[in-house]
Amino acid sequence: MDGVELFLLGRALMKIGEDALPEPPGGSGRHPGSTRNTLVAASDISTHPGTTVGEIAARTGLPQSQISAAVARLKEAGAVRTEPDPADRRRTLVRPAERPSARIAAVRAAGVDTALAAALGPDPDPVRLAEVTAALDVLARHLSPRQTRP
């Protein structure tokens, strides 16, 4: 595998992950912005609580308008809260919510089996599906951003 193949595999895995997520209430057309941008923003906020939209945009490389839309989506879902910056009341700080909302719990609980099976084609071989699932488990164990690395 070379860098290009790894990059394309990563894109394919992101698409499968997006397909595995449950639709938001009211459907996906109700909310502006992509699921991918929303997940990128949520991950950044989790890593950098008490941050601003501009700081998230700078760290992620996404346009500020897309981060603003993602933060609005996350706020509506109960995943984040915003508050004025006590040092500069013109700025708004974004933090993860103290408790996950029902929507966040549903997103975190969503399995990937159906989306993964669909990505493998019509009527995927159960042995092949199990092999790919096991490979993803190994990758997640070693490369997941949520894991603490030595």
Side-chain angles (χ1 to χ4, degrees):
M1 175 175 286
D2 62 28
V4 171
E5 290 170 318
L6 180 60
F7 178 82
L8 295 174
L9 174 60
R11 287 184 52 103
L13 292 173
M14 287 186 344
K15 176 70 174 124
I16 294 167
E18 288 174 345
D19 290 346
L21 298 175
E23 284 285 320
S28 59
R30 181 169 175 259
H31 300 279
S34 73
T35 300
R36 184 174 301 159
N37 291 349
T38 303
L39 291 173
V40 168
S43 176
D44 187 83
I45 293 163
S46 176
T47 306
H48 303 95
T51 191
T52 66
V53 168
E55 291 165 345
I56 298 167
R59 282 190 298 268
T60 63
L62 294 171
Q64 191 162 335
S65 62
Q66 291 179 10
I67 295 297
S68 293
V71 167
R73 225 174 136 168
L74 290 165
K75 188 174 178 182
E76 183 178 323
V80 300
R81 63 183 171 85
T82 59
E83 60 193 32
D85 183 346
D88 181 351
R89 310 246 352 128
R90 296 170 295 177
R91 294 172 15 126
T92 300
L93 301 179
V94 185
R95 299 182 187 285
E98 288 80 21
R99 284 182 239 127
S101 67
R103 168 71 181 150
I104 300 307
V107 167
R108 288 181 180 161
V112 299
D113 295 343
T114 301
L116 190 55
L120 292 173
D123 301 319
D125 174 31
V127 173
R128 185 172 169 220
L129 179 59
E131 180 182 38
V132 172
T133 301
L136 290 174
D137 288 340
V138 170
L139 289 172
R141 191 170 57 247
H142 294 286
L143 299 177
S144 176
R146 291 187 177 172
Q147 301 297 324
T148 305
R149 293 197 184 130

